Amino acid sequence: MKASITEKKSSTHEKVLIKLCHLCGELNETYIEPEKCASCKKAFLPSNYFTKIHAKNTQEFKKLFLHIDKLHEDELIKGYHVIW
């Protein structure tokens, strides 16, 4: 497996979200929840999708993907996500 960084690393970020694509096995590293796999383009849902208000349009849906600073480890699917 190779890792893809979907957002350039900045000195202000201390943590990174690593998400495993369950379709192709790609490791996606980012500071914002990825909307799709960098390799196979498989679409992802945001964390806690079913407990959040369902978006009525594309703009509202994109706002459901949180920045790493707003995520808690309890919200992640174990085995597919890690905050490092």
Side-chain angles (χ1 to χ4, degrees):
M1 282 186 252
K2 62 180 182 171
S4 295
I5 298 180
T6 56
E7 183 179 318
K8 290 183 180 180
K9 189 172 183 176
S10 169
S11 60
T12 61
H13 297 292
E14 295 178 3
K15 300 177 185 176
V16 66
L17 175 69
I18 301 171
K19 182 168 185 154
L20 175 70
C21 177
H22 61 278
L23 186 65
C24 71
E26 178 78 10
L27 291 176
N28 296 276
E29 297 181 25
T30 183
Y31 301 106
I32 299 173
E33 288 183 277
E35 294 181 33
K36 60 177 96 174
C37 176
S39 178
C40 72
K41 308 300 181 210
K42 167 75 174 134
F44 297 135
L45 290 175
S47 337
N48 286 334
Y49 174 75
F50 294 106
T51 61
K52 295 179 181 175
I53 298 172
H54 292 278
K56 297 177 179 140
N57 58 43
T58 304
Q59 291 299 86
E60 288 181 21
F61 182 74
K62 288 183 181 265
K63 291 179 183 177
L64 296 177
F65 291 89
L66 298 176
H67 190 274
I68 187 81
D69 295 336
K70 296 181 181 179
L71 282 173
H72 296 100
E73 296 224 14
D74 297 342
E75 299 173 324
L76 304 177
I77 300 172
K78 289 170 182 45
Y80 286 103
H81 300 91
V82 67
I83 295 177
W84 195 263

Coordinates of all heavy atoms in Angstrom, one line a residue:
M1 N 0.8 -1.2 0.0 CA 0.0 0.0 0.0 C 0.9 1.2 0.0 O 1.8 1.3 0.7 CB -0.9 0.0 1.3 CG -2.0 -0.9 1.2 SD -3.0 -0.6 2.7 CE -2.7 -2.1 3.6
K2 N 0.5 2.2 -0.8 CA 1.2 3.5 -0.8 C 0.3 4.6 -0.1 O -0.9 4.4 -0.1 CB 1.6 3.9 -2.2 CG 0.5 4.1 -3.1 CD 0.9 4.5 -4.5 CE -0.3 4.8 -5.3 NZ 0.0 5.4 -6.6
A3 N 0.9 5.6 0.4 CA 0.1 6.6 1.1 C 0.0 7.8 0.2 O 1.0 8.2 -0.5 CB 0.8 7.0 2.4
S4 N -1.1 8.5 0.2 CA -1.3 9.7 -0.6 C -1.6 10.9 0.4 O -2.4 10.7 1.3 CB -2.5 9.6 -1.5 OG -2.3 8.6 -2.4
I5 N -1.0 12.0 0.2 CA -1.3 13.1 1.1 C -2.1 14.0 0.2 O -1.7 14.5 -0.8 CB 0.0 13.8 1.5 CG1 0.8 12.9 2.4 CG2 -0.3 15.1 2.3 CD1 2.1 13.5 2.9
T6 N -3.4 14.2 0.6 CA -4.4 15.0 -0.1 C -4.4 16.5 0.2 O -5.0 17.2 -0.5 CB -5.8 14.4 0.0 OG1 -6.1 14.4 1.4 CG2 -5.9 13.0 -0.5
E7 N -3.6 16.9 1.2 CA -3.5 18.3 1.5 C -2.1 18.5 2.0 O -1.5 17.7 2.8 CB -4.5 18.7 2.6 CG -4.4 20.1 3.0 CD -5.4 20.5 4.0 OE1 -6.6 20.0 4.0 OE2 -5.1 21.3 4.9
K8 N -1.4 19.6 1.5 CA 0.0 19.8 1.9 C 0.1 20.0 3.4 O -0.7 20.6 4.0 CB 0.5 21.0 1.2 CG 0.7 20.8 -0.3 CD 1.3 22.0 -0.9 CE 1.5 21.8 -2.4 NZ 2.1 22.9 -3.1
K9 N 1.2 19.4 4.0 CA 1.4 19.5 5.4 C 1.8 21.0 5.7 O 2.6 21.6 5.1 CB 2.5 18.6 5.8 CG 2.6 18.5 7.3 CD 3.6 17.4 7.7 CE 3.6 17.3 9.2 NZ 4.4 16.2 9.7
S10 N 1.2 21.5 6.8 CA 1.5 22.8 7.3 C 2.1 22.7 8.7 O 1.8 21.8 9.4 CB 0.2 23.6 7.3 OG 0.4 24.9 7.9
S11 N 2.9 23.7 9.0 CA 3.5 23.7 10.4 C 2.4 23.9 11.5 O 2.7 23.6 12.6 CB 4.6 24.7 10.5 OG 4.1 26.0 10.2
T12 N 1.3 24.4 11.1 CA 0.2 24.6 12.1 C -0.5 23.3 12.5 O -1.2 23.3 13.5 CB -0.8 25.7 11.6 OG1 -1.4 25.2 10.4 CG2 -0.1 27.0 11.4
H13 N -0.4 22.3 11.7 CA -1.1 21.0 11.9 C -0.2 20.1 12.7 O 1.0 19.9 12.4 CB -1.5 20.3 10.6 CG -2.4 21.1 9.8 ND1 -3.7 21.3 10.2 CD2 -2.3 21.7 8.6 CE1 -4.4 22.0 9.3 NE2 -3.5 22.3 8.3
E14 N -0.7 19.6 13.8 CA 0.0 18.6 14.6 C -0.5 17.2 14.3 O 0.3 16.2 14.4 CB -0.1 18.9 16.1 CG 0.5 20.3 16.4 CD 0.3 20.6 17.9 OE1 -0.2 19.8 18.6 OE2 0.7 21.7 18.3
K15 N -1.7 17.0 14.0 CA -2.3 15.7 13.8 C -2.6 15.5 12.3 O -2.8 16.4 11.6 CB -3.6 15.6 14.6 CG -3.4 15.7 16.1 CD -4.8 15.6 16.7 CE -4.7 15.9 18.2 NZ -6.0 15.9 18.8
V16 N -2.8 14.3 11.9 CA -3.2 13.9 10.6 C -4.2 12.8 10.7 O -4.1 11.9 11.5 CB -2.0 13.5 9.7 CG1 -1.3 12.3 10.1 CG2 -2.4 13.4 8.2
L17 N -5.2 12.8 9.8 CA -6.2 11.7 9.7 C -5.7 10.8 8.6 O -5.4 11.2 7.5 CB -7.6 12.3 9.4 CG -8.7 11.2 9.1 CD1 -9.0 10.5 10.4 CD2 -9.9 11.9 8.5
I18 N -5.6 9.5 9.0 CA -5.3 8.5 8.0 C -6.5 7.6 7.8 O -7.0 7.0 8.8 CB -4.1 7.6 8.5 CG1 -2.9 8.5 8.7 CG2 -3.7 6.5 7.5 CD1 -1.7 7.9 9.4
K19 N -7.0 7.5 6.6 CA -8.2 6.7 6.3 C -7.8 5.6 5.3 O -7.3 5.9 4.2 CB -9.3 7.6 5.8 CG -10.6 6.9 5.5 CD -11.7 7.9 5.2 CE -13.0 7.1 5.1 NZ -14.1 7.8 5.4
L20 N -8.2 4.4 5.6 CA -8.0 3.3 4.7 C -9.2 3.2 3.7 O -10.3 3.1 4.2 CB -7.8 2.0 5.5 CG -7.7 0.7 4.7 CD1 -6.3 0.7 3.9 CD2 -7.8 -0.5 5.6
C21 N -8.9 3.1 2.4 CA -10.0 2.8 1.5 C -10.4 1.4 1.6 O -9.5 0.5 1.4 CB -9.6 3.2 0.1 SG -10.9 2.9 -1.1
H22 N -11.6 1.1 1.8 CA -12.1 -0.3 1.9 C -12.2 -1.0 0.6 O -12.4 -2.2 0.5 CB -13.4 -0.4 2.8 CG -14.5 0.3 2.2 ND1 -14.7 1.6 2.4 CD2 -15.5 -0.2 1.4 CE1 -15.8 2.0 1.7 NE2 -16.3 0.9 1.2
L23 N -12.1 -0.2 -0.5 CA -12.2 -0.8 -1.8 C -10.9 -1.2 -2.4 O -10.7 -2.3 -2.8 CB -13.0 0.2 -2.8 CG -13.3 -0.3 -4.1 CD1 -14.3 -1.4 -4.1 CD2 -13.8 0.8 -5.0
C24 N -9.9 -0.2 -2.4 CA -8.6 -0.5 -3.0 C -7.5 -0.7 -2.0 O -6.4 -1.1 -2.4 CB -8.3 0.6 -4.0 SG -7.8 2.2 -3.3
G25 N -7.7 -0.3 -0.7 CA -6.6 -0.4 0.3 C -5.7 0.7 0.4 O -4.7 0.7 1.1
E26 N -5.9 1.8 -0.4 CA -5.1 3.0 -0.4 C -5.2 3.7 1.0 O -6.3 3.8 1.6 CB -5.6 4.0 -1.4 CG -4.8 5.3 -1.5 CD -3.5 5.2 -2.2 OE1 -3.2 4.1 -2.8 OE2 -2.7 6.1 -2.1
L27 N -4.1 4.2 1.5 CA -4.1 5.0 2.7 C -4.1 6.5 2.3 O -3.3 7.0 1.6 CB -2.8 4.7 3.5 CG -2.7 3.4 4.2 CD1 -1.3 3.2 4.9 CD2 -3.8 3.1 5.2
N28 N -5.2 7.1 2.8 CA -5.4 8.6 2.5 C -5.0 9.4 3.7 O -5.6 9.2 4.8 CB -6.8 8.8 2.1 CG -7.2 8.1 0.8 OD1 -7.0 8.6 -0.3 ND2 -7.8 6.9 0.9
E29 N -4.0 10.2 3.6 CA -3.6 11.1 4.7 C -4.1 12.5 4.5 O -3.8 13.0 3.4 CB -2.1 11.0 4.9 CG -1.5 9.7 5.2 CD 0.0 9.7 5.4 OE1 0.5 10.8 5.7 OE2 0.6 8.6 5.2
T30 N -4.8 13.1 5.4 CA -5.3 14.4 5.2 C -5.6 15.1 6.6 O -5.5 14.5 7.6 CB -6.6 14.4 4.4 OG1 -7.1 15.7 4.1 CG2 -7.6 13.5 5.0
Y31 N -5.9 16.4 6.5 CA -6.2 17.2 7.7 C -7.7 17.4 7.7 O -8.2 18.0 8.7 CB -5.5 18.5 7.7 CG -4.0 18.2 7.7 CD1 -3.2 18.5 6.6 CD2 -3.3 17.7 8.8 CE1 -1.9 18.2 6.6 CE2 -2.0 17.5 8.8 CZ -1.3 17.7 7.7 OH 0.1 17.5 7.7
I32 N -8.4 17.1 6.7 CA -9.9 17.2 6.6 C -10.4 15.9 6.1 O -9.8 15.2 5.3 CB -10.3 18.3 5.6 CG1 -9.8 19.7 6.0 CG2 -11.8 18.4 5.4 CD1 -10.0 20.8 5.0
E33 N -11.5 15.4 6.7 CA -12.0 14.1 6.2 C -12.1 14.1 4.7 O -12.7 15.0 4.1 CB -13.5 13.9 6.8 CG -13.5 13.7 8.3 CD -14.9 13.4 8.7 OE1 -15.7 14.4 8.9 OE2 -15.3 12.2 8.8
P34 N -11.5 13.0 4.1 CA -11.6 13.0 2.6 C -13.0 12.6 2.1 O -13.7 11.9 2.7 CB -10.6 11.8 2.3 CG -10.6 11.0 3.5 CD -10.8 11.9 4.7
E35 N -13.3 13.3 1.0 CA -14.6 13.0 0.4 C -14.6 11.8 -0.5 O -15.6 11.1 -0.8 CB -15.1 14.2 -0.4 CG -15.4 15.4 0.4 CD -15.8 16.6 -0.4 OE1 -16.5 16.4 -1.4 OE2 -15.5 17.7 0.1
K36 N -13.3 11.5 -1.0 CA -13.2 10.3 -1.9 C -11.7 9.8 -1.8 O -10.8 10.6 -1.4 CB -13.6 10.6 -3.3 CG -12.8 11.6 -4.0 CD -13.3 11.8 -5.5 CE -14.3 12.9 -5.6 NZ -14.6 13.1 -7.0
C37 N -11.5 8.6 -2.2 CA -10.2 8.0 -2.2 C -9.3 8.7 -3.3 O -9.8 8.9 -4.4 CB -10.3 6.5 -2.5 SG -8.7 5.7 -2.6
A38 N -8.1 9.0 -2.9 CA -7.2 9.6 -3.9 C -6.8 8.7 -5.0 O -6.4 9.1 -6.1 CB -5.9 10.1 -3.1
S39 N -6.9 7.4 -4.8 CA -6.5 6.4 -5.8 C -7.6 6.0 -6.7 O -7.6 6.2 -7.9 CB -5.8 5.2 -5.1 OG -5.5 4.2 -6.1
C40 N -8.7 5.4 -6.1 CA -9.7 4.8 -6.9 C -11.0 5.7 -7.1 O -11.9 5.3 -7.7 CB -10.1 3.4 -6.4 SG -11.0 3.5 -4.8
K41 N -11.0 6.8 -6.3 CA -12.0 7.8 -6.4 C -13.4 7.3 -5.8 O -14.4 7.9 -6.0 CB -12.3 8.3 -7.8 CG -11.1 8.8 -8.5 CD -10.4 9.9 -7.8 CE -9.2 10.4 -8.6 NZ -8.2 11.0 -7.8
K42 N -13.3 6.3 -4.9 CA -14.5 5.8 -4.2 C -14.9 6.9 -3.3 O -14.2 7.4 -2.5 CB -14.1 4.5 -3.4 CG -15.1 4.1 -2.4 CD -16.3 3.4 -3.0 CE -17.2 2.9 -1.9 NZ -18.6 3.2 -2.1
A43 N -16.2 7.2 -3.3 CA -16.8 8.3 -2.4 C -16.9 7.8 -1.0 O -17.2 6.6 -0.7 CB -18.1 8.7 -2.9
F44 N -16.6 8.6 0.0 CA -16.7 8.3 1.4 C -17.8 9.2 2.0 O -18.1 10.2 1.5 CB -15.4 8.7 2.1 CG -14.2 7.9 1.7 CD1 -13.0 8.6 1.5 CD2 -14.2 6.5 1.5 CE1 -11.8 7.9 1.2 CE2 -13.1 5.8 1.2 CZ -11.9 6.5 1.0
L45 N -18.4 8.7 3.1 CA -19.3 9.4 3.9 C -18.5 10.1 5.0 O -17.5 9.6 5.5 CB -20.4 8.5 4.5 CG -21.4 8.0 3.5 CD1 -22.4 7.0 4.2 CD2 -22.2 9.1 2.8
P46 N -19.0 11.2 5.5 CA -18.4 11.8 6.7 C -18.6 11.0 8.0 O -19.5 10.2 8.0 CB -19.0 13.2 6.8 CG -20.3 13.1 6.1 CD -20.1 12.0 5.1
S47 N -17.8 11.2 9.0 CA -18.0 10.5 10.3 C -19.3 10.9 10.9 O -19.8 12.0 10.7 CB -16.9 10.8 11.3 OG -15.8 11.3 10.8
N48 N -19.9 9.9 11.5 CA -21.2 10.1 12.2 C -22.3 10.6 11.2 O -23.1 11.4 11.6 CB -21.1 11.0 13.4 CG -20.4 10.4 14.6 OD1 -20.4 9.2 14.7 ND2 -19.8 11.2 15.4
Y49 N -22.2 10.2 10.0 CA -23.1 10.7 9.0 C -24.6 10.5 9.4 O -25.4 11.4 9.2 CB -22.9 9.9 7.7 CG -23.9 10.2 6.6 CD1 -23.9 11.4 5.9 CD2 -24.9 9.3 6.3 CE1 -24.8 11.8 5.0 CE2 -25.9 9.7 5.3 CZ -25.8 10.9 4.7 OH -26.7 11.2 3.7
F50 N -24.9 9.4 10.0 CA -26.3 9.1 10.4 C -26.8 9.9 11.6 O -28.0 10.0 11.8 CB -26.6 7.6 10.5 CG -26.4 6.9 9.2 CD1 -25.2 6.1 9.0 CD2 -27.3 7.0 8.2 CE1 -25.0 5.5 7.8 CE2 -27.1 6.4 7.0 CZ -26.0 5.6 6.8
T51 N -25.9 10.4 12.4 CA -26.3 11.2 13.5 C -26.3 12.7 13.2 O -26.8 13.5 14.0 CB -25.4 11.0 14.7 OG1 -24.0 11.4 14.4 CG2 -25.4 9.6 15.2
K52 N -25.8 13.1 12.1 CA -25.8 14.5 11.6 C -27.1 14.8 10.9 O -27.8 13.9 10.3 CB -24.6 14.8 10.8 CG -23.3 14.7 11.5 CD -22.1 15.0 10.6 CE -20.8 14.8 11.3 NZ -19.7 15.0 10.5
I53 N -27.4 16.1 10.7 CA -28.5 16.5 9.9 C -28.2 16.1 8.5 O -27.1 16.5 8.0 CB -28.8 18.0 10.1 CG1 -29.1 18.3 11.5 CG2 -29.9 18.5 9.1 CD1 -29.2 19.8 11.8
H54 N -29.1 15.5 7.8 CA -28.9 15.1 6.4 C -28.9 16.4 5.5 O -29.8 17.2 5.6 CB -29.9 14.1 5.9 CG -29.8 12.8 6.6 ND1 -28.9 11.9 6.2 CD2 -30.4 12.3 7.7 CE1 -28.9 10.8 7.0 NE2 -29.8 11.0 7.9
A55 N -28.0 16.5 4.7 CA -27.8 17.7 3.8 C -28.9 17.7 2.7 O -29.2 16.6 2.2 CB -26.4 17.7 3.3
K56 N -29.3 18.8 2.4 CA -30.3 19.0 1.3 C -29.7 19.2 0.0 O -30.4 19.1 -1.0 CB -31.3 20.1 1.7 CG -32.0 19.8 3.0 CD -32.9 20.9 3.4 CE -33.7 20.5 4.6 NZ -33.8 21.5 5.6
N57 N -28.4 19.6 0.0 CA -27.8 19.9 -1.3 C -26.3 19.6 -1.2 O -25.8 19.3 -0.1 CB -28.1 21.3 -1.8 CG -27.6 22.4 -0.8 OD1 -26.5 22.3 -0.3 ND2 -28.4 23.4 -0.6
T58 N -25.6 19.8 -2.3 CA -24.2 19.4 -2.3 C -23.3 20.3 -1.4 O -22.4 19.8 -0.7 CB -23.6 19.6 -3.8 OG1 -24.4 18.8 -4.6 CG2 -22.2 19.2 -3.9
Q59 N -23.6 21.6 -1.3 CA -22.9 22.5 -0.5 C -23.0 22.1 1.0 O -22.0 22.1 1.7 CB -23.3 23.9 -0.7 CG -22.9 24.5 -2.0 CD -21.4 24.5 -2.2 OE1 -20.8 23.6 -2.6 NE2 -20.8 25.6 -1.9
E60 N -24.2 21.8 1.4 CA -24.5 21.4 2.8 C -23.8 20.0 3.1 O -23.2 19.8 4.2 CB -25.9 21.2 3.1 CG -26.7 22.6 3.2 CD -28.1 22.4 3.5 OE1 -28.5 21.3 4.1 OE2 -28.9 23.3 3.2
F61 N -23.8 19.1 2.1 CA -23.1 17.8 2.3 C -21.6 18.0 2.5 O -21.0 17.4 3.4 CB -23.4 16.9 1.1 CG -22.8 15.6 1.3 CD1 -23.3 14.6 2.1 CD2 -21.7 15.2 0.5 CE1 -22.8 13.4 2.3 CE2 -21.1 13.9 0.6 CZ -21.7 13.0 1.5
K62 N -21.0 18.9 1.7 CA -19.5 19.1 1.8 C -19.2 19.7 3.2 O -18.1 19.4 3.7 CB -19.1 20.0 0.7 CG -19.1 19.3 -0.6 CD -18.5 20.2 -1.7 CE -18.5 19.6 -3.1 NZ -17.3 18.9 -3.4
K63 N -20.0 20.4 3.8 CA -19.8 21.0 5.2 C -19.8 19.9 6.3 O -19.3 20.1 7.4 CB -20.8 22.0 5.5 CG -20.6 23.3 4.6 CD -21.7 24.3 5.0 CE -21.6 25.5 4.1 NZ -22.6 26.5 4.4
L64 N -20.3 18.7 6.0 CA -20.3 17.6 7.0 C -18.9 17.0 7.2 O -18.7 16.3 8.2 CB -21.3 16.5 6.6 CG -22.8 17.0 6.5 CD1 -23.7 15.8 6.0 CD2 -23.3 17.5 7.9
F65 N -18.0 17.2 6.2 CA -16.7 16.6 6.3 C -15.9 17.6 7.2 O -15.6 18.7 6.9 CB -16.0 16.5 5.0 CG -16.7 15.4 4.1 CD1 -17.7 15.8 3.3 CD2 -16.2 14.1 4.1 CE1 -18.3 14.8 2.5 CE2 -16.8 13.2 3.4 CZ -17.9 13.5 2.6
L66 N -15.5 17.1 8.4 CA -14.8 17.9 9.4 C -13.3 18.0 9.3 O -12.7 17.1 8.8 CB -15.2 17.3 10.8 CG -16.7 17.3 11.2 CD1 -16.8 16.6 12.5 CD2 -17.2 18.7 11.2
H67 N -12.8 19.1 9.8 CA -11.4 19.3 10.0 C -10.9 18.4 11.1 O -11.6 18.1 12.1 CB -11.1 20.8 10.2 CG -9.6 21.1 10.2 ND1 -8.8 20.9 11.2 CD2 -8.9 21.5 9.1 CE1 -7.6 21.3 10.9 NE2 -7.6 21.7 9.6
I68 N -9.6 18.0 11.1 CA -9.0 17.1 12.1 C -9.2 17.6 13.5 O -9.4 16.9 14.4 CB -7.6 16.8 11.7 CG1 -7.0 15.7 12.7 CG2 -6.7 18.0 11.8 CD1 -7.3 14.3 12.3
D69 N -9.1 18.9 13.7 CA -9.3 19.5 15.0 C -10.6 19.3 15.6 O -10.8 19.4 16.8 CB -8.9 21.0 14.9 CG -7.5 21.3 14.6 OD1 -6.6 20.4 14.8 OD2 -7.2 22.4 14.0
K70 N -11.7 19.1 14.8 CA -13.0 18.9 15.3 C -13.4 17.5 15.4 O -14.6 17.2 15.8 CB -14.0 19.7 14.3 CG -13.7 21.1 14.3 CD -14.7 21.9 13.5 CE -14.4 23.4 13.5 NZ -15.3 24.1 12.6
L71 N -12.6 16.5 15.0 CA -12.9 15.1 15.1 C -12.4 14.5 16.5 O -11.3 14.9 16.9 CB -12.2 14.3 14.0 CG -12.9 14.4 12.6 CD1 -12.0 13.7 11.6 CD2 -14.2 13.7 12.7
H72 N -13.1 13.6 17.0 CA -12.7 12.8 18.2 C -12.5 11.4 17.8 O -13.2 10.9 16.9 CB -13.7 12.9 19.3 CG -13.9 14.3 19.8 ND1 -14.9 15.1 19.4 CD2 -13.1 15.1 20.6 CE1 -14.8 16.3 20.0 NE2 -13.7 16.3 20.7
E73 N -11.5 10.7 18.4 CA -11.2 9.3 18.1 C -12.5 8.4 18.2 O -12.6 7.4 17.5 CB -10.1 8.8 18.9 CG -8.8 9.5 18.6 CD -7.6 8.6 18.4 OE1 -7.8 7.4 18.3 OE2 -6.5 9.1 18.4
D74 N -13.4 8.7 19.1 CA -14.6 8.0 19.3 C -15.5 8.0 18.1 O -16.4 7.1 17.9 CB -15.4 8.5 20.5 CG -14.6 8.3 21.8 OD1 -13.6 7.5 21.8 OD2 -14.9 8.9 22.8
E75 N -15.4 9.0 17.3 CA -16.3 9.2 16.1 C -15.8 8.4 14.9 O -16.5 8.3 13.9 CB -16.3 10.6 15.7 CG -16.9 11.5 16.8 CD -16.8 13.0 16.4 OE1 -15.9 13.4 15.8 OE2 -17.8 13.7 16.8
L76 N -14.6 7.8 14.9 CA -13.9 7.2 13.8 C -14.2 5.7 13.8 O -14.4 5.1 14.9 CB -12.4 7.4 13.8 CG -12.0 8.9 13.8 CD1 -10.5 8.9 13.9 CD2 -12.5 9.6 12.6
I77 N -14.3 5.1 12.6 CA -14.5 3.7 12.5 C -13.1 3.0 12.7 O -12.2 3.2 12.0 CB -15.0 3.3 11.1 CG1 -16.4 4.0 10.9 CG2 -15.2 1.8 11.0 CD1 -16.9 3.8 9.5
K78 N -13.0 2.2 13.8 CA -11.8 1.5 14.1 C -11.4 0.5 13.0 O -12.2 -0.2 12.5 CB -11.9 0.8 15.5 CG -12.0 1.9 16.6 CD -12.3 1.2 17.9 CE -12.4 2.2 19.0 NZ -13.1 3.4 18.8
G79 N -10.2 0.6 12.6 CA -9.7 -0.3 11.5 C -9.7 0.4 10.2 O -9.0 0.0 9.3
Y80 N -10.4 1.5 10.0 CA -10.4 2.3 8.8 C -9.9 3.7 8.9 O -9.5 4.3 8.0 CB -11.8 2.4 8.2 CG -12.3 1.1 7.6 CD1 -13.2 0.3 8.3 CD2 -11.8 0.6 6.4 CE1 -13.6 -0.9 7.7 CE2 -12.3 -0.6 5.8 CZ -13.2 -1.3 6.5 OH -13.6 -2.5 6.0
H81 N -9.9 4.2 10.2 CA -9.4 5.5 10.5 C -8.4 5.5 11.6 O -8.5 4.7 12.5 CB -10.5 6.5 10.9 CG -11.6 6.6 10.0 ND1 -12.7 5.8 10.0 CD2 -11.8 7.6 9.0 CE1 -13.6 6.2 9.0 NE2 -13.1 7.3 8.4
V82 N -7.5 6.5 11.6 CA -6.7 6.8 12.8 C -6.3 8.2 12.8 O -6.1 8.8 11.7 CB -5.5 5.8 12.8 CG1 -4.5 6.1 11.7 CG2 -4.8 5.9 14.2
I83 N -6.2 8.8 13.9 CA -5.7 10.2 14.0 C -4.3 10.0 14.6 O -4.1 9.4 15.6 CB -6.5 11.1 15.0 CG1 -7.9 11.3 14.4 CG2 -5.8 12.4 15.2 CD1 -8.8 12.1 15.3
W84 N -3.3 10.5 13.8 CA -1.9 10.3 14.2 C -1.2 11.6 14.5 O -1.4 12.5 13.8 CB -1.2 9.6 13.0 CG 0.1 9.0 13.4 CD1 1.3 9.6 13.2 CD2 0.3 7.7 13.9 NE1 2.3 8.7 13.6 CE2 1.7 7.6 14.1 CE3 -0.5 6.7 14.3 CZ2 2.3 6.4 14.6 CZ3 0.1 5.6 14.9 CH2 1.5 5.4 15.0

